[in-house]
Amino acid sequence: MRTGIWVLGDQLWMGQAALNSCEHEKINTPVIIIESHNYAQKRPYHRQKLVLVWSAMRHFAAELRSTGWLVTYSISDDFETALLNWIKENRIDEVRIMSPNDRPFTQLINNLQLGCSINLIPNNHFLWSVTEFKEWANSRKRLLLEDFYREGRKRFNILVEENKPIGGKWNFDQQNRQPPKGKLKTPQVLWFEPDEITNSVIEEIKALSWTSYGEIEPFKWGVSRSNAKTILEHFIRQCLPTFGPYQDAMITGENSLWHSLISPYLNLGLLTPIEVIEAAQLAYFENNLDLNSVEGFIRQVLGWREYMNGIYHYVDEDYRESNWFNHNGSLPNFYWQSSQTDMNCLHQVLNQVEKTGYAHHIQRLMVLSNFALIVGVSPQKIESWFQAAFVDAYDWVMVPNVIGMGQFADGGILGSKPYASSANYLNKMSDYCGNCVYDYKQKIGEKACPFNFFYWDFLDRHQEQIKSLGRMNFVLGHLNRLKAEEINEIRALAVNWRENNCR
């Protein structure tokens, strides 16, 4: 009986479970990695996402070969054809695959007709296994991130002493929300020049007729384990010491500020969560870094990333169809072409996404997702756009983040209130409003910012539902003090805007 291993495109790690299971027999174990053009056409993926994934896959294939694995690299229309040819050529009786993290891909595997057994090995790319998270969740009345994060800190002995948090607090969020006032000296971003393999992928993608979103060059992402480790080291040395205070800030022309830029590498498997967390913790102890910066970063990996993955596998499959506000609007046209909007905040962020496939978490949540929420866009349409537009996007990431957190479409499983705001928040946390044709102070009138009239229109449309959320009663009080004629003009502005921008 001969076993072969299929390494998926987001499992590019020597220590992944399927490879581990055959490490002692690797010189006799065939491995296959497949680029499927049909699968890549499921969405209008950002061109840089395709370059990143395919180049990383090719680099990983070379790395596997250099350590003795028997690797077949296949470029095919579909997965099944490539697998059948490989199985026949290598006389394979069992195909081992580390369980995909994306549920739709698991279904794809289950539908394959390969004529041999398929063995899914439990995924080991997260600190919490799916089973461990379910056991934790089933033992609780509430599934709050804060509770989960504290449990993770204790379980993995991160920034704790005798099960108590170093510094006396679990959470330093209040110190990490400073607006970008004055002239800030941001760290230099570390990028990479494409090598021969990456340049080859770029040219191949340019020749494809079906890729349609985003600019393919300049391509500056890392594509190998070595690149990813260099990025992590750069972040720990240059960015982590001052990461915390301005992690929610947004500045024109600053794509990353102090953010790590490691999410694409974590999600591909080029970095592991534990090495990232331990590197940050070690830097704290060795260099006496500010605890709020280190804790704020570790929270994103040990807390939020693990929590999103756990929730994704815990909820029912139909969670992705959630729509608590019954929003069914179309996505504004400019999400696909930033030049079509004169709203400076959206133009800046969307233009950045077009050029790089990246925006940091507040740009995603409080600009892109926030606007879709208050306009009334279908949660499924904005979630699909997020999956297509970002280089670090996968189903397990975007379904809970966009459907649950960003759109509050689950009615409160992930959060206690919607992340909806007017232009006041954007003016506080960015410099976008100062160079905009709209007035961030106005909610009605010719210069009224759409974030303003849509925010109040959103509250007006859904006030009966929102009443059930205790944390929203304060803002509903402000809504009820608006005059009837002001509400009517807000409604008219919202209707007119949708007619002109959501076709």
Side-chain angles (χ1 to χ4, degrees):
M1 184 171 180
R2 194 175 197 193
T3 295
I5 297 172
W6 178 15
V7 172
L8 306 185
D10 60 347
Q11 301 178 351
L12 310 180
W13 170 39
M14 284 290 187
Q16 62 114 299
L19 292 174
N20 270 351
S21 72
C22 294
E23 172 67 27
H24 61 293
E25 287 287 336
K26 68 180 179 181
I27 61 172
N28 296 313
T29 303
V31 174
I32 190 168
I33 302 175
I34 307 169
E35 288 178 23
S36 167
H37 282 198
N38 289 350
Y39 192 77
Q41 294 178 64
K42 287 184 64 179
R43 289 186 173 87
Y45 287 112
H46 200 296
R47 290 178 177 91
Q48 294 203 21
K49 169 73 174 284
L50 295 178
V51 175
L52 172 63
V53 174
W54 287 352
S55 181
M57 288 165 63
R58 295 182 191 190
H59 280 85
F60 187 63
E63 186 180 352
L64 285 173
R65 290 189 186 106
S66 72
T67 60
W69 290 97
L70 304 173
V71 181
T72 297
Y73 196 93
S74 177
I75 300 174
S76 175
D77 285 339
D78 62 86
F79 293 116
E80 190 165 291
T81 300
L83 287 165
L84 287 171
N85 290 335
W86 171 69
I87 289 167
K88 182 178 179 180
E89 289 172 5
N90 292 278
R91 299 180 180 179
I92 291 168
D93 303 291
E94 176 201 23
V95 177
R96 290 189 189 176
I97 312 162
M98 184 167 83
S99 291
N101 224 47
D102 287 355
R103 283 172 145 181
F105 207 92
T106 300
Q107 188 59 51
L108 181 152
I109 291 172
N110 291 335
N111 291 337
L112 293 173
Q113 302 295 320
L114 301 182
C116 67
S117 65
I118 298 176
N119 186 2
L120 294 179
I121 309 298
N123 191 302
N124 67 341
H125 192 49
F126 290 82
L127 295 175
W128 290 72
S129 70
V130 170
T131 299
E132 288 170 337
F133 184 90
K134 288 181 177 179
E135 289 173 352
W136 174 84
N138 287 335
S139 69
R140 310 188 65 81
K141 294 181 179 179
R142 61 180 192 174
L143 301 180
L144 293 184
L145 166 66
E146 186 64 31
D147 296 342
F148 173 76
Y149 170 63
R150 294 181 185 187
E151 179 66 25
R153 290 266 297 273
K154 296 173 187 175
R155 177 179 290 214
F156 300 104
N157 195 34
I158 303 298
L159 297 181
V160 294
E161 290 178 345
E162 298 180 353
N163 269 356
K164 294 182 180 180
I166 290 174
K169 294 196 304 182
W170 294 102
N171 187 320
F172 292 86
D173 274 359
Q174 291 303 319
Q175 294 174 235
N176 292 342
R177 294 171 178 165
Q178 292 187 32
K181 302 303 180 185
K183 188 167 178 146
L184 301 179
K185 186 178 180 181
T186 57
Q188 185 175 358
V189 181
L190 179 63
W191 294 113
F192 300 91
E193 290 300 319
D195 62 8
E196 184 177 349
I197 291 175
T198 301
N199 278 324
S200 177
V201 175
I202 289 171
E203 293 307 312
E204 290 172 26
I205 291 173
K206 283 181 180 179
L208 296 174
S209 61
W210 43 265
T211 58
S212 59
Y213 178 70
E215 298 179 14
I216 197 168
E217 293 178 307
F219 180 87
K220 299 291 187 179
W221 293 100
V223 291
S224 67
R225 164 75 172 161
S226 174
N227 290 162
K229 288 172 66 177
T230 300
I231 284 284
L232 176 60
E233 291 164 3
H234 173 81
F235 168 72
I236 295 295
R237 184 176 62 254
Q238 299 295 333
C239 306
L240 182 60
T242 46
F243 168 78
Y246 299 104
Q247 63 176 284
D248 287 3
M250 298 173 281
I251 302 175
T252 302
E254 294 279 359
N255 293 354
S256 58
L257 296 167
W258 287 269
H259 291 271
S260 67
L261 295 177
I262 64 170
S263 58
Y265 313 117
L266 269 172
N267 293 353
L268 282 170
L270 298 177
L271 291 173
T272 65
I274 193 61
E275 72 178 316
V276 170
I277 293 164
E278 288 180 345
Q281 177 173 247
L282 181 62
Y284 167 74
F285 287 120
E286 288 188 345
N287 303 316
N288 195 29
L289 301 184
D290 290 341
L291 184 55
N292 64 298
S293 288
V294 178
E295 186 277 320
F297 173 71
I298 287 176
R299 172 182 293 269
Q300 293 186 358
V301 184
L302 177 59
W304 195 249
R305 186 174 186 272
E306 294 285 328
Y307 181 68
M308 287 292 102
N309 180 61
I311 289 290
Y312 174 81
H313 290 285
Y314 182 74
V315 297
D316 294 334
E317 175 62 29
D318 62 359
Y319 178 90
R320 69 181 64 245
E321 302 304 324
S322 301
N323 196 348
W324 195 64
F325 289 118
N326 197 28
H327 285 168
N328 54 20
S330 298
L331 190 69
N333 307 324
F334 53 70
Y335 273 74
W336 295 108
Q337 190 172 352
S338 63
S339 62
Q340 293 185 12
T341 181
D342 54 4
M343 298 173 63
N344 191 47
C345 59
L346 282 159
H347 174 78
Q348 293 295 333
V349 177
L350 288 166
N351 183 254
Q352 174 184 320
V353 175
E354 286 173 2
K355 292 179 181 297
T356 65
Y358 173 82
H360 70 66
H361 70 281
I362 293 298
Q363 291 174 313
R364 300 188 198 199
L365 178 64
M366 298 308 298
V367 180
L368 302 175
S369 186
N370 178 15
F371 193 69
L373 170 63
I374 59 180
V375 167
V377 174
S378 156
Q380 287 67 43
K381 288 179 180 176
I382 184 62
E383 190 274 334
S384 183
W385 178 84
F386 266 87
Q387 284 216 40
F390 287 96
V391 297
D392 57 2
Y394 295 89
D395 199 68
W396 71 267
V397 181
M398 291 305 174
V399 168
N401 265 296
V402 179
I403 298 294
M405 184 183 186
Q407 299 299 296
F408 203 76
D410 63 6
I413 294 175
L414 276 182
S416 57
K417 71 179 183 67
Y419 280 91
S421 82
S422 67
N424 183 57
Y425 175 87
L426 298 177
N427 181 61
K428 176 185 176 183
M429 296 306 299
S430 80
D431 65 355
Y432 298 147
C433 298
N435 294 307
C436 189
V437 298
Y438 298 103
D439 186 344
Y440 74 91
K441 297 177 182 177
Q442 293 186 28
K443 63 174 74 76
I444 57 174
E446 186 178 341
K447 292 292 185 180
C449 175
F451 265 95
N452 286 339
F453 59 74
F454 270 122
Y455 175 69
W456 294 105
D457 180 64
F458 167 75
L459 295 177
D460 178 53
R461 295 193 322 267
H462 299 298
Q463 57 181 304
E464 289 304 316
Q465 281 176 283
I466 292 173
K467 281 179 182 176
S468 66
L469 308 173
R471 294 183 65 189
M472 296 292 286
N473 288 330
F474 179 76
V475 295
L476 288 179
H478 287 295
L479 172 70
N480 293 329
R481 285 193 286 274
L482 296 181
K483 296 178 181 178
E485 53 268 28
E486 196 171 14
I487 288 290
N488 288 335
E489 184 169 352
I490 285 170
R491 291 170 180 166
L493 285 168
V495 169
N496 183 65
W497 193 96
R498 289 191 194 93
E499 290 176 352
N500 289 316
N501 293 276
C502 300
R503 297 176 179 174

